[in-house]
Amino acid sequence: MAGPISLYRRIMAKQKSDPNYKVIAENRRARYDYAIEDDIECGMILQGSEVKSLREGGSNIAESYAAVEDGELWLVNSYIAPYLQAKTWGHEEKRRRKLLVSKKELSKMWNATQRQGMTLVPLVMYFNHKGLVKLKIGIAKGKKNQDKRATEAKRDWQKQKSRLMKQNG
């Protein structure tokens, strides 16, 4: 019987050696500007040239947001660079892209945005272990300036504390 540590090592080795898992784009500013309360993984409907462009790493989700409209979830204002080899049948760079979630998750997002005043913020776009494009969306509430300063002070204190521990230890 394998112990828990060897099982953990096998799982971690598989994740590191997985050639398909790759982060495409990350919205680092989202955690600074918003207090993320929950996150949901969803799929995307893409054209072929968009997937090929994403494999090359040409995308940006920093200024984008998600919206529930007419019972469907859409990613608005995301940028996927044009794929140069697909000249005739290329794609529009900033088009709205449909996101795939279950009805239960969709109703949860609609409730959060319409009734509670939350925002749907894309956090990270990546290829999962099967090679499919996934988007992690955060259900977030906007931070005020004083909240941002408090978060920054807390992060600085954590850095300083770790430095002090290294010096003393």
Side-chain angles (χ1 to χ4, degrees), residues 19-110:
N20 292 327
Y21 184 82
K22 177 185 172 189
V23 173
I24 304 166
E26 191 174 2
N27 188 356
R28 293 173 184 234
R29 188 111 178 121
R31 296 200 187 273
Y32 179 75
D33 289 335
Y34 299 96
I36 311 294
E37 295 193 5
D38 194 14
D39 60 349
I40 296 173
E41 180 184 69
C42 54
M44 293 178 76
I45 295 181
L46 298 171
Q47 296 176 349
S49 61
E50 291 175 326
V51 176
K52 290 194 174 225
S53 179
L54 289 175
R55 290 244 177 247
E56 290 180 347
S59 67
N60 186 4
I61 57 169
E63 290 94 34
S64 61
Y65 63 94
V68 179
E69 296 171 8
D70 299 326
E72 294 178 335
L73 185 62
W74 294 90
L75 180 64
V76 183
N77 203 26
S78 66
Y79 174 79
I80 296 179
Y83 186 63
L84 299 177
Q85 284 79 357
K87 292 181 175 119
T88 310
W89 292 280
H91 63 273
E92 192 179 324
E93 289 113 27
K94 285 211 169 203
R95 74 177 182 91
R96 292 163 32 107
R97 293 170 178 86
K98 188 173 178 182
L99 300 175
L100 305 171
V101 291
S102 67
K103 287 183 180 180
K104 184 179 177 183
E105 289 174 334
L106 185 66
S107 66
K108 180 180 172 183
M109 288 184 192
W110 186 86

Side-chain angles (χ1 to χ4, degrees), residues 91-148:
H91 63 273
E92 192 179 324
E93 289 113 27
K94 285 211 169 203
R95 74 177 182 91
R96 292 163 32 107
R97 293 170 178 86
K98 188 173 178 182
L99 300 175
L100 305 171
V101 291
S102 67
K103 287 183 180 180
K104 184 179 177 183
E105 289 174 334
L106 185 66
S107 66
K108 180 180 172 183
M109 288 184 192
W110 186 86
N111 259 346
T113 55
Q114 299 299 317
R115 294 185 179 163
Q116 299 170 5
M118 305 287 239
T119 307
L120 301 176
V121 182
L123 301 174
V124 63
M125 185 188 301
Y126 58 94
F127 286 107
N128 70 355
H129 66 282
K130 292 181 180 177
L132 300 173
V133 177
K134 297 290 182 178
L135 183 72
K136 190 165 279 199
I137 290 185
I139 299 173
K141 185 167 257 177
K143 286 185 184 177
K144 295 188 170 40
N145 278 339
Q146 66 190 44
D147 297 333
K148 291 179 189 178

